[in-house]
Amino acid sequence: MRCFPRWQRRLILLLALLPTRLTAQASAYVPLDHPLLPLLEHLIVRGDVEDPSPAVRPFRQSDALLVLGRADTVGRPGLAAQVRLLAGAFDTLPRDAGWRVAARAGGQGYSSPRRDLTRPTGSGAVKPYAEIGLSARFGEAIAVSRPILEPRLADDPEWTGRRNLKVTGRMAEAYVAGQWRWVQVFYGQMERNWGPAGVDGIPLSGASYGRPEIGLVLGSGTVRLTALASDLRSTTDSLGTIYQRYFFAHRIDARLSRRLHLGLWETVVVAGEGRTFDGRFRNPVSLLLLANQYGLGDRENNLMIGLDWDWWAARGLLVSGQLAIDDLQYQHRSGPTRYPDRYAFTLGVSGALGRAASWRALYTQVSSLAFRTFDPAQDFLDGGVGIGRTYDDYDQAVLRVGLPLRQRWIISPEVMLIRQGEGRIQAPVPPGNTTAAGDTPELFIGVRERSYRAGVSVSGSEGPLGLSASAGYLHRVNADNVDGRTRNRFVGQLTVTLGVTRGGTLR
């Protein structure tokens, strides 16, 4: 095993030594782009189905099946039909040992190649799309691989892979995991989101594409500890010096009651010439804050801490939120060279609307210099793309309604307002001892762009057909932060596929 780095050899050894008497069936994760996930999120928002993993996505198929089985469907035929449909969609592998192959092919049409339709760029096109999902379960172990052929990527600004290929694709999922009653061990990649559903998470989100990582989860549905560690792309300064970069995330979730959930988390980017996959930060039960700030670390690193909460204020009324602190100036709160606070937060209120619909209102704000620091190698970026949010210096308000259709589809009209300053997450930060730092506002640098969007999204599946679509009208004032410039544009994306699935038992 000399070809593996030391930490990977330790993971393989841990998987081999874990006792088999902790037996539980391993389960695949529900990907963020699953066409039926928006329907399940709709039922969670209404309070019809318990959230299997508050503020943390993805969750396992087995966790989804557990909460669906607990749903009270007595006297509610529409809900019962939706629950049966979702349970069938997420129960995909035979018991004990089984395999599954799911192939899908179709096309993508879009007005902008960027997945974020609130900030369109480039021109539209219609291109092919194909994927094949491979999964196998061996009792407590599972392996999943889902390569995707997606030519759109070559024009997506957030795509950090090669763009000069005739065939462009990506790995949407590629992981192996061991899962026992109290322990989960993970190695591979998938898209993650930490924070209230319906908006990109601050520490981790699906706005950027997934990266290989090692993960450990300890605990139960009441208290759960999560630790993630991954390599980031190295950077090079003007002198040619190479800086190695790593990302670590710790999280502890606690269900304090049936109505209240809290999640405390911390993330850090460790960077520098000759840096290694530092065990002080990789340790799943250490505090990154202490390792970084108070004597356990010998170099500065960029640390962010945060809090998530879900509180059911009343039946059918959920109050959720996320607060992240990147850096607060608690010593020098005034003066011409005061460094602006770096923070981000999200507030959300959602609930049931009538007998079958749902509603969600969200507001999020990101300060002008969030996710970046004096040393560009320590910014919360990977290949120039944000690990959580891909933008800073903005706020956003959205109102969305969920309308189920035929138990298999969800239609979501929405209205949105975004105010964007001239701050950019990739831009250098003014040094803290200059007047420029003191003159930088905490929110909205320079000319403020305002974007108004009215649109609708549709997602679902019926038989072999899978569809995900979003369309709307975007009106931008002071477009591209140019005073007086107005831009109007239709924005839309459509992915439609036909699929076939085969599976069986392994002997």
Side-chain angles (χ1 to χ4, degrees):
M1 298 203 301
R2 292 180 179 270
C3 59
F4 292 97
R6 180 180 298 176
W7 66 269
Q8 292 188 18
R9 297 200 300 269
R10 290 174 177 172
L11 171 63
I12 295 171
L13 180 62
L14 175 62
L15 285 171
L17 294 179
L18 278 171
T20 57
R21 66 172 175 267
L22 298 178
T23 298
Q25 289 291 328
S27 175
Y29 293 85
V30 180
L32 300 187
D33 62 351
H34 195 293
L36 289 176
L37 181 58
L39 181 58
L40 178 55
E41 297 283 12
H42 159 78
L43 297 181
I44 292 172
V45 164
R46 283 184 49 84
D48 294 332
V49 174
E50 181 184 357
D51 193 332
S53 180
V56 175
R57 300 293 187 267
F59 43 74
R60 295 180 300 173
Q61 292 180 352
S62 59
D63 297 327
L65 291 172
L66 183 63
V67 296
L68 288 167
R70 293 173 178 168
D72 182 7
T73 61
V74 177
R76 306 171 70 182
L79 176 59
Q82 289 176 332
V83 166
R84 287 194 299 270
L85 167 71
L86 292 170
F90 298 143
D91 189 11
T92 59
L93 282 173
R95 303 301 176 192
D96 192 23
W99 63 273
R100 181 176 183 265
V101 177
R104 307 198 66 85
Q108 285 184 330
Y110 51 85
S111 63
S112 166
R114 175 176 275 152
R115 292 198 290 185
D116 183 356
L117 289 180
T118 65
R119 295 176 173 86
T121 185
S123 58
V126 176
K127 295 188 177 182
Y129 176 94
E131 67 174 61
I132 182 167
L134 308 170
S135 55
R137 177 166 58 202
F138 306 90
E140 302 85 14
I142 191 164
V144 175
S145 180
R146 185 162 65 103
I148 293 179
L149 173 68
E150 194 172 12
R152 174 196 62 84
L153 296 171
D155 300 317
D156 185 349
E158 273 70 66
W159 172 246
T160 59
R162 292 179 60 183
R163 301 178 184 273
N164 59 346
L165 301 175
K166 294 183 178 180
V167 179
T168 308
R170 62 186 175 96
M171 292 302 304
E173 299 172 276
Y175 60 86
V176 293
Q179 300 173 6
W180 297 264
R181 182 178 181 184
W182 308 110
V183 182
Q184 301 175 41
V185 182
F186 170 96
Y187 177 69
Q189 70 183 67
M190 64 174 67
E191 293 182 356
R192 297 183 181 272
N193 196 85
W194 283 6
V199 66
D200 291 337
I202 295 169
L204 289 168
S205 85
S208 60
Y209 296 93
R211 68 190 58 80
E213 60 192 3
I214 180 175
L216 174 68
V217 180
L218 301 174
S220 64
T222 304
V223 177
R224 184 174 65 247
L225 170 69
T226 303
L228 301 173
S230 62
D231 298 313
L232 301 179
R233 296 195 180 195
S234 301
T235 61
T236 306
D237 66 12
S238 58
L239 300 178
T241 304
I242 299 176
Y243 296 94
Q244 287 75 30
R245 308 174 68 243
Y246 306 93
F247 175 76
F248 302 93
H250 291 169
R251 180 183 183 95
I252 184 166
D253 290 275
R255 291 183 185 266
L256 302 183
S257 70
R258 296 185 62 182
R259 297 173 58 181
L260 179 63
H261 161 269
L262 293 179
L264 292 169
W265 53 265
E266 52 182 358
T267 61
V268 67
V269 171
V270 176
E273 183 181 6
R275 293 305 295 261
T276 61
F277 211 62
D278 198 326
R280 290 167 294 186
F281 297 95
R282 191 174 66 243
N283 185 343
V285 291
S286 72
L287 286 176
L288 298 178
L289 177 64
L290 294 182
N292 187 57
Q293 301 282 23
Y294 300 111
L296 298 181
D298 55 354
R299 306 185 193 179
E300 289 187 355
N301 305 283
N302 193 7
L303 177 78
M304 181 164 54
I305 60 175
L307 169 69
D308 297 338
W309 67 90
D310 275 11
W311 174 48
W312 286 95
R315 180 176 177 83
L317 180 62
L318 174 64
V319 179
S320 57
Q322 182 171 65
L323 172 64
I325 298 175
D326 199 353
D327 186 21
L328 292 182
Q329 298 300 307
Y330 55 88
Q331 290 182 317
H332 305 288
R333 299 297 303 176
S334 61
T337 59
R338 174 186 174 271
Y339 191 66
D341 294 330
R342 293 177 292 159
Y343 64 87
F345 68 86
T346 297
L347 300 174
V349 183
S350 55
L353 182 64
R355 297 182 60 183
S358 65
W359 66 277
R360 189 193 303 267
L362 292 161
Y363 175 79
T364 188
Q365 183 180 116
V366 183
S367 65
S368 61
L369 299 179
F371 311 121
R372 41 190 174 132
T373 185
F374 303 120
D375 183 356
Q378 297 178 8
D379 292 350
F380 283 96
L381 301 172
D382 189 19
V385 179
I387 296 173
R389 298 291 176 89
T390 53
Y391 293 87
D392 59 9
D393 195 23
Y394 78 98
D395 70 351
Q396 174 179 331
V398 59
L399 177 62
R400 185 177 296 125
V401 175
L403 305 170
L405 177 66
R406 290 171 53 85
Q407 285 82 49
R408 295 178 174 270
W409 304 89
I410 185 77
I411 301 175
S412 300
E414 68 175 19
V415 291
M416 183 183 302
L417 167 64
I418 300 177
R419 300 183 296 176
Q420 174 72 62
E422 294 183 21
R424 294 295 183 268
I425 196 172
Q426 300 86 1
V429 174
N433 59 354
T434 68
T435 303
D439 290 341
T440 303
E442 287 188 350
L443 187 65
F444 301 137
I445 299 172
V447 177
R448 187 184 314 173
E449 177 189 83
R450 300 191 308 277
S451 299
Y452 303 87
R453 182 179 187 269
V456 61
S457 61
V458 181
S459 181
S461 67
E462 184 118 19
L465 174 66
L467 183 145
S468 177
S470 181
Y473 184 77
L474 188 65
H475 173 65
R476 298 163 65 203
V477 179
N478 297 334
D480 304 315
N481 303 107
V482 177
D483 194 16
R485 175 188 290 177
T486 300
R487 294 286 187 268
N488 298 313
R489 182 172 180 177
F490 167 82
V491 290
Q493 291 180 351
L494 168 67
T495 300
V496 56
T497 60
L498 295 175
V500 59
T501 303
R502 294 290 184 271
T505 301
L506 293 169
R507 301 185 184 276

